[in-house]
């Protein structure tokens, strides 16, 4: 009989409990702390304020907009990878991984230059005659979406590349012989095969965007407030840790609901594919 692999899982399980499950349990417990004992007053205080509810919706919208931006850019790059030779594939992987090796803070501050009045975006728009003078995309939602799209783009490219690298290049020949054009081949053949990777990428991008405090604070500015900034305000300025814990739990819950839905869709697609 083979020896059980459970002893080898003990260190991993211990680390998961010590550094994930236990802190999360303490966070949830602390969110119910009231002046007279355990209560829901922190959740009522947060959800009962229309401003906080708008902030929650703005955070969700930012996540969806970034998912859309990374999808529109990630799919063409992944298809280029699939149609390329070995050297081009290595170059695409290299260029995808390089930003991930750079600190998020460094990338965020680089976007300050790109989005500024003397940045390349402003200069290009003036050169094309689309604006009458320098413009700045700093402290705007559009600028923040552009920055988050670039920062989180590898999170959707890598799952797509992982799936496409296993597909034979002649996969689409049958559809092409049947008279299908490039767009129909993509929709009917490639897209269904790419969907599990897309769902995984959407999960990663949305979770990363909704919790990215540094980029939201630096690029979005004080006028664009998102949930991580509310948490920072409650902890660092107002020192209301129970309310901050409740806000964090709400963010985790709303993000978890989306992740659960996407995971269910992913399993459903796999079941359909195997059927």
């Amino acid at each position: 009989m083979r020896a059980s692999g459970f002893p080898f899982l003990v260190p991993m399980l211990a680390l998961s409990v010590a550094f994930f499950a236990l802190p999360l349990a303490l966070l949830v417990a602390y969110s119910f702390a009231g002046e007279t004992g355990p209560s829901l007053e922190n959740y009522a205080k947060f959800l009962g304020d229309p401003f906080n509810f708008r902030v929650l919706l703005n955070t969700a919208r930012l996540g969806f907009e970034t998912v859309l931006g990374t999808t529109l850019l990630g799919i063409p790059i992944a298809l280029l990878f699939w149609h390329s030779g070995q050297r081009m594939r290595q170059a695409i992987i290299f260029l995808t991984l390089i930003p991930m090796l750079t600190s998020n803070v460094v990338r965020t501050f680089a976007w300050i230059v790109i989005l500024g009045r003397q940045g390349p975006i402003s200069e290009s728009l003036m050169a094309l005659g689309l604006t009458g003078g320098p413009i700045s995309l700093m402290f705007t939602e559009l600028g923040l979406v552009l920055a988050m799209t670039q920062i989180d783009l590898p999170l959707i490219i890598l799952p797509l590349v992982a799936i496409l690298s296993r597909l034979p290049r002649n996969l689409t020949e049958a559809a092409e012989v049947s008279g299908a054009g490039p767009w129909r081949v993509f929709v009917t053949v490639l897209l269904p095969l790419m969907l599990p990777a897309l769902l995984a990428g959407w999960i990663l991008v949305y979770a990363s965007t909704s919790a990215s405090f540094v980029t939201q604070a630096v690029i979005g500015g004080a006028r664009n407030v998102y949930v991580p900034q509310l948490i920072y305000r409650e902890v660092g300025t107002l020192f209301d840790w129970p309310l901050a814990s409740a806000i964090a739990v709400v963010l985790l819950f709303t993000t978890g609901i989306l992740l659960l839905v996407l995971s269910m869709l992913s399993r459903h697609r796999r079941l359909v594919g195997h059927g």
Side-chain angles (χ1 to χ4, degrees):
M1 293 180 62
R2 292 183 178 180
S4 173
F6 180 75
F8 298 99
L9 298 177
V10 171
M12 183 184 66
L13 293 175
L15 289 174
S16 299
V17 171
F19 296 103
F20 179 75
L22 183 58
L24 183 60
L26 292 175
L27 178 71
V28 174
Y30 208 62
S31 69
F32 290 102
E35 296 181 359
T36 59
S39 69
L40 295 173
E41 62 183 65
N42 295 312
Y43 293 96
K45 183 178 180 180
F46 173 69
L47 297 175
D49 189 337
F51 172 77
N52 293 336
F53 191 72
R54 286 197 302 271
V55 169
L56 191 61
L57 292 179
N58 290 341
T59 305
R61 185 178 69 245
L62 175 65
F64 284 118
E65 289 172 346
T66 306
V67 165
L68 177 61
T70 54
T71 302
L72 293 177
L73 291 177
I75 289 179
I77 295 174
L79 292 177
L80 175 63
F81 171 88
W82 189 55
H83 287 288
S84 299
Q86 186 64 27
R87 289 188 177 181
M88 178 60 73
R89 287 189 172 193
Q90 293 175 352
I92 292 174
I93 294 296
F94 176 77
L95 294 174
T96 301
L97 293 177
I98 279 295
M100 300 185 69
L101 302 178
T102 306
S103 169
N104 187 37
V105 176
V106 174
R107 286 183 289 174
T108 298
F109 278 92
W111 273 98
I112 296 178
V113 178
I114 297 173
L115 298 173
R117 294 175 63 85
Q118 280 73 45
I121 294 180
S122 178
E123 295 290 339
S124 299
L125 292 176
M126 287 192 297
L128 294 173
L130 299 178
T131 59
I135 65 169
S136 175
L137 294 178
M138 282 293 295
F139 313 131
T140 64
E141 186 171 326
L142 176 59
L144 180 57
V145 171
L146 291 176
M148 293 303 310
T149 297
Q150 184 272 328
I151 290 173
D152 291 336
L153 186 59
L155 300 179
I156 202 167
I157 292 179
L158 293 178
L160 288 173
V161 164
I163 280 189
L164 290 177
S165 61
R166 298 195 297 267
L167 299 181
R169 298 189 188 183
N170 59 358
L171 180 68
T172 59
E173 289 182 358
E176 292 173 352
V177 169
S178 301
W183 177 250
R184 189 169 184 180
V185 168
F186 169 74
V187 172
T188 59
V189 179
L190 292 178
L191 187 59
L193 295 173
M194 295 165 58
L195 191 54
L198 281 174
L199 292 171
W202 292 342
I203 291 173
L204 295 173
V205 170
Y206 184 89
S208 174
T209 301
S210 61
S212 182
F213 167 75
V214 173
T215 308
Q216 292 174 3
V218 174
I219 304 298
R223 292 182 298 178
N224 298 287
V225 182
Y226 302 96
V227 173
Q229 293 161 274
L230 287 184
I231 298 174
Y232 176 81
R233 182 193 67 181
E234 297 298 332
V235 172
T237 304
L238 302 178
F239 302 104
D240 193 344
W241 286 53
L243 180 57
S245 300
I247 299 173
V249 171
V250 171
L251 178 61
L252 287 172
F253 178 78
T254 53
T255 304
I257 290 295
L258 176 66
L259 302 188
L260 178 62
V261 171
L262 291 177
S263 298
M264 293 174 63
L265 287 175
S266 177
R267 288 196 296 268
H268 174 69
R269 291 297 306 181
R270 290 182 185 136
L271 289 174
V272 172
H274 288 302

